[in-house]
Amino acid sequence: EVKKNVKNGYRFYAKDFNTQIEEKLELESDLRKGIANNELILHYQPKFSVDGQTVSGVEALVRWEHPDKGLLAPGVFLPVAEETGLIFEIGTWVLKKACQQMKIWQEEGGFRVPIAVNLSSQQFHESDFDQHIQYVLHETGLEAKYLELEITEGMMMDAETSTVTLQKLSDLGVKISLDDFGTGYSSLSYLKQFPITRLKIDRSFINDITRNDHDRAIVSTIISMAKHLKMNVTAEGIETKDQLDFLMQNKSMEIQGYYFSKPLPANEVEALYLNKAAI
Ligand code: C2E
Ligand code: MG
Ligand code: MG
Ligand code: MG
């Protein structure tokens, strides 16, 4: 909360502890109701070839159409969902909805690209998570190779369990992406050990890519490392032509960011991009 303080300009005041708890409880009870009332929706952000001509994939991103507060971003409600266990219900819904949508697109117009779904750590560490995935694929009729699960480095800290889960998922034929790559608790041995098919270079390295030599060096190095490890690469958060120009050198790279497209409702993705889909 920001209050005007005449002497010191703007100052931050910690909210009263009780107020914080009350707000959280209210958010939790709203979220429960919201889930029951089907207020959660998915937006989809297409991912492109560097020339912007081909859609190579689509990422599902959850939003909440709150009756009073409007469209809420996942950063507002997923932390509470994770604290309260509602994340399991949300995660299950997201997976099913995303797979269903891609199946519909495939049947309608040959949108034969993978749908990427973000996982939360608790979901990923659920026992028999691979069986859950198998069930969702079976239920929706989507082929495993069209599902890409996005995990983050932090989820793999328990290396033994993670290896087993990732191997089972990989055996199903599902693709595994390492999201926000470079920002987490990273060990290069993970890359060798786990069946990861794609690295997504975090937006924070892309931001200053045209101005900062170090960011440029880091991005180039991640790209060439991925190539040597036979992994695909996505650059996240491309907002400008200059940023894109830097990445153009790498023809096989995948581009995601506002420069090509923001996350959009399903009908807008269809209207704008169905004819640009890679087969
Ligand atoms: P993420 O998976 O790294 O997704 C990328 C985020 O960056 C999205 O924010 C997207 O809207 C935003 N973004 C994409 N291109 C640009 C760009 O060019 N510039 C900028 N400034 N931002 C861009 P969003 O939708 O708010 O999601 C935030 C995070 O919430 C996601 O980060 C992901 O970690 C998490 N999340 C979203 N949906 C789900 C979900 O269904 N389940 C789980 N467990 N997590 C989710
Ligand atoms: Mg993601
Ligand atoms: Mg990311
Ligand atoms: Mg993220």
Side-chain angles (χ1 to χ4, degrees):
E1 195 183 358
V2 185
K3 281 187 185 160
K4 184 81 173 151
N5 178 312
V6 181
K7 256 190 194 160
N8 304 322
Y10 288 95
R11 270 183 58 183
F12 289 91
Y13 288 84
K15 265 186 194 159
D16 178 55
F17 188 59
N18 287 325
T19 315
Q20 278 185 38
I21 292 182
E22 273 166 28
E23 281 182 7
K24 202 184 272 180
L25 285 173
E26 192 188 321
L27 190 62
E28 182 191 346
S29 105
D30 275 9
L31 186 54
R32 262 181 222 287
K33 275 184 253 166
I35 295 169
N37 293 337
N38 298 314
E39 288 166 12
L40 295 187
I41 58 162
L42 291 184
H43 279 185
Y44 300 89
Q45 188 176 32
K47 302 183 284 177
F48 296 83
S49 56
V50 273
D51 62 6
Q53 291 307 302
T54 312
V55 173
S56 50
V58 178
E59 179 174 4
L61 294 156
V62 71
R63 273 100 183 82
W64 176 13
E65 285 185 308
H66 192 285
D68 314 316
K69 296 177 185 161
L71 195 66
L72 299 182
V76 177
F77 59 94
L78 286 187
V80 170
E82 274 160 12
E83 260 180 65
T84 55
L86 287 171
I87 193 67
F88 293 108
E89 207 174 325
I90 295 176
T92 300
W93 178 83
V94 168
L95 269 166
K96 186 173 166 188
K97 183 77 188 173
C99 291
Q100 253 170 3
Q101 183 60 69
M102 184 48 71
K103 182 70 184 174
I104 290 170
W105 278 333
Q106 294 189 347
E107 286 177 347
E108 278 180 359
F111 214 13
R112 294 194 173 275
V113 294
I115 182 93
V117 176
N118 293 281
L119 297 179
S120 79
S121 177
Q122 293 179 61
Q123 234 182 324
F124 176 70
H125 286 108
E126 223 179 345
S127 62
D128 301 327
F129 180 66
D130 60 298
Q131 285 178 30
H132 178 59
I133 292 295
Q134 206 169 2
Y135 177 73
V136 171
L137 291 171
H138 176 76
E139 206 185 7
T140 59
L142 188 73
E143 273 179 80
K145 66 177 176 184
Y146 293 119
L147 177 60
E148 186 162 344
L149 298 173
E150 295 199 359
I151 60 171
T152 52
E153 295 158 81
M155 293 186 195
M156 302 189 300
M157 280 167 63
D158 178 3
E160 268 175 50
T161 325
S162 303
T163 312
V164 174
T165 306
L166 287 175
Q167 196 54 57
K168 284 180 181 166
L169 290 169
S170 169
D171 291 345
L172 287 178
V174 165
K175 298 187 167 73
I176 312 286
S177 251
L178 204 45
D179 204 354
D180 307 340
F181 183 71
T183 59
Y185 179 89
S186 221
S187 154
L188 292 180
S189 68
Y190 289 166
L191 297 184
K192 190 178 74 171
Q193 193 176 335
F194 298 126
I196 291 159
T197 44
R198 177 180 300 280
L199 298 181
K200 296 188 75 176
I201 305 172
D202 191 69
R203 192 166 83 219
S204 58
F205 300 112
I206 305 292
N207 258 335
D208 277 340
I209 207 175
T210 55
R211 290 181 295 266
N212 185 315
D213 290 345
H214 289 124
D215 285 340
R216 249 204 306 273
I218 288 169
V219 170
S220 300
T221 305
I222 296 175
I223 293 170
S224 82
M225 180 176 70
K227 196 181 269 176
H228 288 300
L229 292 168
K230 298 193 167 52
M231 292 175 188
N232 301 307
V233 198
T234 307
E236 297 190 291
I238 305 297
E239 294 181 352
T240 67
K241 177 80 170 64
D242 288 349
Q243 291 169 338
L244 182 68
D245 284 345
F246 173 76
L247 297 165
M248 281 282 206
Q249 302 149 17
N250 194 287
K251 295 268 181 299
S252 61
M253 157 138 221
E254 188 183 65
I255 303 294
Q256 184 174 24
Y258 296 169
Y259 183 70
F260 284 138
S261 175
K262 291 198 168 181
L264 299 168
N267 62 335
E268 290 181 39
V269 172
E270 254 167 65
L272 290 166
Y273 299 113
L274 209 58
N275 61 344
K276 279 191 170 185
I279 300 297

